[in-house]
Amino acid sequence: MKKLSSNRVFGGEHAQYSHYSEANKCDMTFAIFLPPIALGKGKEAQKVPVLYWLSGLTCNDQNFMQKAGAFRAAAELGIAIVAPDTSPRGESVPDDPDKAYDFGLGAGFYLNATQPPWSAHYNMYDYILNELLPSVQQTFFVNKHSAISGHSMGGHGALTMGLKNPDIFTSISAFSPICNPVNCQWGQKAFTHYLGDDKQSWLEYDACHLLQNASKQVPILIDQGTDDDFLEEQLKPDNLIRVAQMSDYHLTLNMRSGYDHSYFFISSFIDDHISFHAKCLFADE
């Protein structure tokens, strides 16, 4: 693991690292914020829980870290934040032939691709769960407690990874998530290329299907702006709420009047999400 950069912020440290991923067959980059207590600043160091943040289409590991304004709350509550990149990258990694923003580089959709040529590299699900999480726990002063959050495509990733792994993640949150990708253009395009034409296999990465069949309820918080240009055609939170009501699965969806799809929206409510996760991450203490 190679440290690429480091910045002091709110008494803690933000750093960017690269390491080789066997799942994605390329070097991957991620960013981590460690709060002061994990560094022993002012008192004896303590291991801290981790909030994993998954970013959306076209983003990388730095969008959230630089724009969300999450460090003050994370520093005060003693929570580390880890933000992976949104896809594999490199000269050998295939991209959308048309260079579209919603598929290929920057658009890994947090799944394991089964169709060539994508299957050789686009395995973000395995990368995050089986490589990044263990590496973070082995390398940094963090404990075993983890939560997951994300935005848009990353909100889809947070919901699906959290619902599929309720014994790993204590809580799930999302801003403007793609809630029902099998029924929207973004999801249908990505799933067709990554997973093929068998739509039954798509359901393993659809939050509506996973929530309907969940064996264990994990606390879920979602914030969605009413002025989001993608709300009706791509995000479809009403579908998730409908399934939750039918399945008696309790989740919180806040419709925020006048807010859009941007990081202005995320930065307005990120403290609420960090506090929400803190209650779950520290529940055993």
Side-chain angles (χ1 to χ4, degrees), residues 13-73:
E13 180 191 30
H14 165 273
Q16 188 182 42
Y17 289 84
S18 68
H19 64 144
Y20 183 77
S21 165
E22 188 63 39
N24 290 333
K25 299 294 189 295
C26 66
D27 287 336
M28 293 295 297
T29 303
F30 72 93
I32 183 169
F33 168 74
L34 291 170
I37 196 170
L39 304 175
K41 303 299 183 182
K43 59 179 70 177
E44 185 178 352
Q46 296 181 24
K47 289 188 174 183
V48 297
V50 182
L51 172 62
Y52 289 86
W53 173 270
L54 308 183
S55 289
L57 292 168
T58 76
C59 293
N60 57 31
D61 59 285
Q62 286 301 297
N63 295 76
F64 176 83
M65 294 302 202
Q66 295 184 11
K67 295 180 179 181
F71 295 144
R72 182 190 297 275

Side-chain angles (χ1 to χ4, degrees), residues 99-142:
K99 304 298 181 183
Y101 76 94
D102 56 356
F103 180 72
L105 298 184
F109 272 83
Y110 305 102
L111 49 71
N112 289 334
T114 60
Q115 303 300 303
W118 320 105
S119 54
H121 297 280
Y122 285 81
N123 297 294
M124 290 296 293
Y125 184 90
D126 276 354
Y127 164 68
I128 291 171
L129 285 175
N130 300 328
E131 294 184 352
L132 184 60
L133 266 74
S135 293
V136 167
Q137 292 184 350
Q138 293 166 11
T139 305
F140 302 100
F141 210 55
V142 301

Side-chain angles (χ1 to χ4, degrees), residues 75-216:
E76 292 175 351
L77 292 169
I79 296 174
I81 301 174
V82 171
D85 203 346
T86 55
S87 78
R89 299 181 193 269
E91 292 183 3
S92 64
V93 178
D95 192 10
D96 188 312
D98 299 322
K99 304 298 181 183
Y101 76 94
D102 56 356
F103 180 72
L105 298 184
F109 272 83
Y110 305 102
L111 49 71
N112 289 334
T114 60
Q115 303 300 303
W118 320 105
S119 54
H121 297 280
Y122 285 81
N123 297 294
M124 290 296 293
Y125 184 90
D126 276 354
Y127 164 68
I128 291 171
L129 285 175
N130 300 328
E131 294 184 352
L132 184 60
L133 266 74
S135 293
V136 167
Q137 292 184 350
Q138 293 166 11
T139 305
F140 302 100
F141 210 55
V142 301
N143 61 36
K144 63 180 180 179
H145 299 297
S146 301
I148 193 163
S149 184
H151 171 231
S152 193
M153 178 189 71
H156 143 76
L159 288 169
T160 55
M161 285 193 177
L163 287 167
K164 288 165 73 76
N165 299 278
D167 295 326
I168 294 177
F169 299 108
T170 64
S171 47
I172 305 165
S173 77
F175 289 86
S176 315
I178 304 172
C179 294
N180 193 196
V182 302
N183 287 317
C184 76
Q185 185 273 331
W186 280 345
Q188 291 167 353
K189 176 180 178 179
F191 288 3
T192 298
H193 288 297
Y194 290 140
L195 303 175
D197 295 328
D198 179 10
K199 294 184 179 181
Q200 192 66 30
S201 68
W202 297 8
L203 297 177
E204 288 304 308
Y205 299 102
D206 185 277
C208 288
H209 172 77
L210 294 171
L211 189 142
Q212 184 178 15
N213 294 279
S215 59
K216 179 180 179 180

Side-chain angles (χ1 to χ4, degrees), residues 219-234:
I220 298 176
L221 170 65
I222 298 174
D223 273 281
Q224 172 64 60
T226 61
D227 285 11
D228 191 321
D229 290 339
F230 306 111
L231 176 58
E232 298 298 330
E233 292 186 4
Q234 305 288 3

